[in-house]
Amino acid sequence: MKERQLAHHAALVEAAIASGHAAKSAVVASWCRSSRFHRLDPAGSRPPLRLTGAELGRARERAAPLLQAARPIMDRLYQAVGAAGCCVLLAAQDGVPVERRGSPADDATFDSWGLWTGAIWSEEHEGTNGIGTCLVERRPLTIDRDQHFFTRNTLLSCTAAPIYDQDAKLAGVLDVSSCRADRTEAFADLITLAVGEAARRIESDMFRAAFPKARIVLVPALDGHGGGLLAVDADDLVIGATRSARAALGVAPDRAFQPIPAADLLGGAGAALEQFSDGERGVLQRALLRAGGNVSAAAKALGVSRATLHRKLKRFGLKPD
């Protein structure tokens, strides 16, 4: 029975690859990469490769900022999906899970499937799968059961979303996996939403941690689902932007970010910037009052240059007494 199953899935994969449907199906395109580029056999039965304990320790050290931001969010995500027999995995950019949440009652099962820290889930090693294919395609996706390349993985359902760091570079993948046969389509849709939202929260927390002294400004995303973030310094220079903020503002995501005056980046957005900088007008007014209208003294008290304070006053329509 098992041999017939192996042969059946392998035949389906090979037929799909031969059909030339890779341009129409993202799954078939991934199967093609797995077979032709990575030279994998869909009937292969070896378990996922694993790092040694020392190698996993070094991987966690490299992923320290990602781990710090992700841990509390993974806890909340697991609280939402764990009772349904799912585990939560955080993988670094090489496809190796460096953090995991799961029920102790299910640990032996998930460990046997390789859904564990230190396992290598890159597409290069495991073919089409949630973590590895998400890293290649850099988009949220679900690889459900027989969409996996290896027959031995066809009992798994994996939903993954990419995570980008403060420099808009791919930092890792958040994944929720299950091997239950009774997972409904409605529940799968809820998992997709939960994973995507959790990934965005991790990105937001990583970004805020990277710019602890900056003012964080929200920029509405192009698709209307969530927003990007900007980091603005005391001189009103934008010194950082999340990937979604760069996309919304037309800034190339694959280039090193150069500081840009906030007014220039947001375009005639004095009103918008005022909205985003809630409370700043009051800070300026109080500083001027305490300095008796002396711009130089107020600027010194605020820790900005006189020219910067003049720009701020002009933007908010304030005049020194």
Side-chain angles (χ1 to χ4, degrees):
M1 180 69 179
K2 185 176 180 180
E3 290 181 357
R4 287 200 301 270
Q5 182 186 15
L6 288 171
H8 178 66
H9 179 71
L12 287 176
V13 171
E14 290 165 359
I17 292 172
S19 71
H21 289 166
K24 300 179 181 179
S25 167
V27 170
V28 176
S30 176
W31 285 353
C32 287
R33 291 193 299 268
S34 303
S35 175
R36 295 175 178 173
F37 186 66
H38 300 307
R39 304 295 182 184
L40 300 176
D41 178 0
S45 59
R46 64 153 179 79
L49 302 175
R50 303 198 185 207
L51 301 183
T52 65
E55 289 170 335
L56 177 59
R58 290 192 290 272
R60 281 178 166 150
E61 288 178 4
R62 292 192 296 271
L66 174 64
L67 281 167
Q68 184 174 0
R71 281 172 173 145
I73 296 169
M74 290 180 69
D75 290 339
R76 292 194 291 272
L77 179 59
Y78 175 69
Q79 288 175 357
V81 303
C86 297
C87 72
V88 180
L89 296 166
L90 177 73
Q93 68 267 33
D94 56 2
V96 175
V98 291
E99 190 80 357
R100 179 186 176 276
R101 298 290 183 274
S103 169
D106 296 327
D107 281 355
T109 299
F110 283 127
D111 192 10
S112 68
W113 284 102
L115 295 172
W116 208 260
T117 53
I120 302 175
W121 281 94
S122 65
E123 202 177 74
E124 175 185 358
H125 290 92
E126 282 298 301
T128 307
N129 72 87
I131 291 173
T133 304
C134 180
L135 285 169
V136 172
E137 300 189 1
R138 302 192 172 204
R139 64 179 179 87
L141 51 76
T142 295
I143 301 298
D144 189 38
R145 300 184 176 94
D146 61 3
Q147 291 179 332
H148 286 81
F149 181 78
F150 282 134
T151 302
R152 59 175 167 76
N153 290 331
T154 55
L155 294 181
L156 303 178
S157 293
C158 306
T159 298
I163 299 170
Y164 292 91
D165 67 13
Q166 68 275 4
D167 297 318
K169 294 180 180 178
L170 187 62
V173 168
L174 185 65
D175 172 88
V176 169
S177 289
S178 169
C179 54
R180 291 182 58 161
D182 59 351
R183 195 176 85 150
T184 65
E185 183 176 349
F187 186 63
D189 290 341
L190 289 175
I191 289 178
T192 298
L193 290 173
V195 172
E197 175 63 22
R200 301 294 76 78
R201 288 186 179 184
I202 294 171
E203 288 182 350
S204 175
D205 286 356
M206 288 181 68
F207 188 79
R208 292 175 187 276
F211 298 99
K213 297 182 179 180
R215 185 171 75 253
I216 303 300
V217 173
L218 175 65
V219 176
L222 289 175
D223 58 8
H225 299 292
L229 300 178
L230 301 177
V232 183
D233 71 6
D235 292 325
D236 266 350
L237 295 177
V238 178
I239 56 175
T242 61
R243 183 178 177 87
S244 55
R246 296 182 192 208
L249 296 170
V251 178
D254 55 349
R255 297 180 183 176
F257 192 85
Q258 299 297 324
I260 306 172
D264 292 354
L265 184 60
L266 295 171
L273 188 57
E274 178 178 349
Q275 176 184 353
F276 294 141
S277 306
D278 185 32
E280 187 175 7
R281 178 192 292 271
V283 171
L284 297 176
Q285 288 177 318
R286 288 191 293 274
L288 283 173
L289 285 171
R290 292 184 183 117
N294 186 305
V295 174
S296 295
K300 184 177 181 181
L302 291 170
V304 299
S305 68
R306 192 171 186 277
T308 295
L309 182 54
H310 271 296
R311 288 201 305 272
K312 290 176 178 287
L313 294 175
K314 182 178 180 181
R315 171 157 54 82
F316 286 111
L318 299 175
K319 295 181 180 180
D321 293 335

